């Protein structure tokens, strides 16, 4: 199989999991190479996400590493199989690789939980709100890239539609609801859009009001994406320099606890909608 260049986050994650499996079993890279009929450099390339691995070799590696978790192995095989070209690939070379990785992560999610303190979640933004947010990037973006980012965001939002859409649980701080990106009319339309979205069967929206006590991770955007098995969950963090992807056991545990805490402090769905309606009326 030919080597890959510029692995996606999904490809890197598969390599990370295979290396973790090997190290947990105290199997050296040289031993793994011998078992699979490969040289040492190819094992390194597989574990870095730069080279594909066949289903047969993956299952053989799992067997030699004494991994008996069939669901986990099947999930890794699904990641290793050749993938149909996703819609996000149309943007490769035009938008950052991280933006494409986020879209791919969401498509494979079984559930998504998020917490936003300043911004409305991207999957719940109107086009006018998103456009206003993109125009506040420093340094300013060329209009062509603004248009591409908007098209990409609107296409991402389709993941919440349809019978197979994943469950989506969002905690949005009242501060984010009071932001007026795009002005009063755009802000009101955004709040009305949130109310409409919160009526979907797969969407649960919680508002964290100003009256709530302090909470962990204030100001941080957290997206917790559940995979087909718990070991393949991923946390995606937004920052000014781009997206970070976290998936160690300690990190996953930390952010699950943080989201649990924030959800406990937040208003239930019905009072959350009432607060959003009141804010919309003020506009």
């Amino acid at each position: 199989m030919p080597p890959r260049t510029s692995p996606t986050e999904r490809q890197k994650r598969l390599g990370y999991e295979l290396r973790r499996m090997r190290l947990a079993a105290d199997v050296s890279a040289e031993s793994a190479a011998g078992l699979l009929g490969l040289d040492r450099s190819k094992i390194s390339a597989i574990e870095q996400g730069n080279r594909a691995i066949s289903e047969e070799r993956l299952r053989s590696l799992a067997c030699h590493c004494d991994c008996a978790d069939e669901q986990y192995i099947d999930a890794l095989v699904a990641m290793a199989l050749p993938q149909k070209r996703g819609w996000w690939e149309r943007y490769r070379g035009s938008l950052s690789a991280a933006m494409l990785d986020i879209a791919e992560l969401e498509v494979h999610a079984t559930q998504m939980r998020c917490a936003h303190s300043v911004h409305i979640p991207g999957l719940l933004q109107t086009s006018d709100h998103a456009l206003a947010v993109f125009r506040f990037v420093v340094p300013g973006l060329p209009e062509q890239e603004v248009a591409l980012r908007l098209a990409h965001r609107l296409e991402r939002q389709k993941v919440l539609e349809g019978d197979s859409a994943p469950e989506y649980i969002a905690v949005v701080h009242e501060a984010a609801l009071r932001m007026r990106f795009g002005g009063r009319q755009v802000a009101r339309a955004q709040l009305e859009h949130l109310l409409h979205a919160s009526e979907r069967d797969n969407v649960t929206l919680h508002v964290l009001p100003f009256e709530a006590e302090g909470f962990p991770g204030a100001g941080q955007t957290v997206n917790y994406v559940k995979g087909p098995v718990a070991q393949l969950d991923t946390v995606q963090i937004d920052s000014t320099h781009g997206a970070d992807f976290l998936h160690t056991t300690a990190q996953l545990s930390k952010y699950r606890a943080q989201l649990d805490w924030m959800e406990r402090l937040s208003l239930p769905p019905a009072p959350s909608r009432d607060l959003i309606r009141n804010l919309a009326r003020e506009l």
Side-chain angles (χ1 to χ4, degrees), residues 90 125 152 155 215 247 254:
R90 297 198 304 272
Q125 292 179 2
H152 176 265
E155 203 150 9
F215 57 94
H247 45 70
K254 169 186 173 179

Side-chain angles (χ1 to χ4, degrees), residues 106 109-114 123 159-160 166-169 224-225:
E106 291 168 343
T110 60
Q111 183 197 65
M112 288 184 275
R113 299 172 68 190
C114 69
L123 294 183
V159 75
L160 296 182
E167 181 184 17
Y168 186 74
I169 305 168
Y224 190 106
V225 181

